[in-house]
Amino acid sequence: MGPGRARPLLRDPATGSYLLDVFREPHDGDTWICRRDESIRLPYTDIVRHTPDGIPYLAPEIVLLFKAKHLRPKDRWDFEATVPLLVPAQRETLAGLLARAHPGHPWIAAL
């Protein structure tokens, strides 16, 4: 950024916590390609949902797929808090994606 231009704030100055988290994944037109397993390809219309006000967000089963890689405590908590809210089709999708991207992952048995 040049002189005099404001730098966008992405972290809370008091806590250092991220206020915004942006992922840019590979894609082919309107098809998302998983960076962890390029054979996983889904139409954006299947993975991007919208609030009643029209704000887009990533389907929770896809978010959990990203969080599955490291198994940090916060990711385990997110999994445990989110899975009860998923409909059976979302659980099946997540289990299948985990089996492909992270074979043997402990969350598979929990789904």
Side-chain angles (χ1 to χ4, degrees), residues 13-53:
T15 65
S17 296
Y18 281 101
L19 301 173
L20 176 66
D21 198 0
V22 177
F23 286 99
R24 186 62 185 143
E25 291 289 304
H27 64 94
D28 182 8
D30 292 334
T31 301
W32 166 75
I33 303 169
C34 179
R35 68 175 171 238
R36 297 200 180 119
D37 181 339
E38 291 187 7
S39 73
I40 299 173
R41 296 168 180 251
L42 298 167
Y44 279 114
T45 55
D46 289 354
I47 66 168
V48 176
R49 310 282 166 71
H50 294 85
T51 67
D53 294 333

Side-chain angles (χ1 to χ4, degrees), residues 39-87:
S39 73
I40 299 173
R41 296 168 180 251
L42 298 167
Y44 279 114
T45 55
D46 289 354
I47 66 168
V48 176
R49 310 282 166 71
H50 294 85
T51 67
D53 294 333
I55 299 169
Y57 64 95
L58 193 58
E61 58 272 26
I62 303 301
V63 174
L64 291 173
L65 175 64
F66 286 122
K67 292 177 145 295
K69 182 176 181 181
H70 297 293
L71 283 178
R72 300 169 295 191
K74 69 179 188 170
D75 300 323
R76 286 188 201 118
W77 186 90
D78 288 343
F79 175 80
E80 291 168 5
T82 303
V83 167
L85 304 174
L86 299 179
V87 299

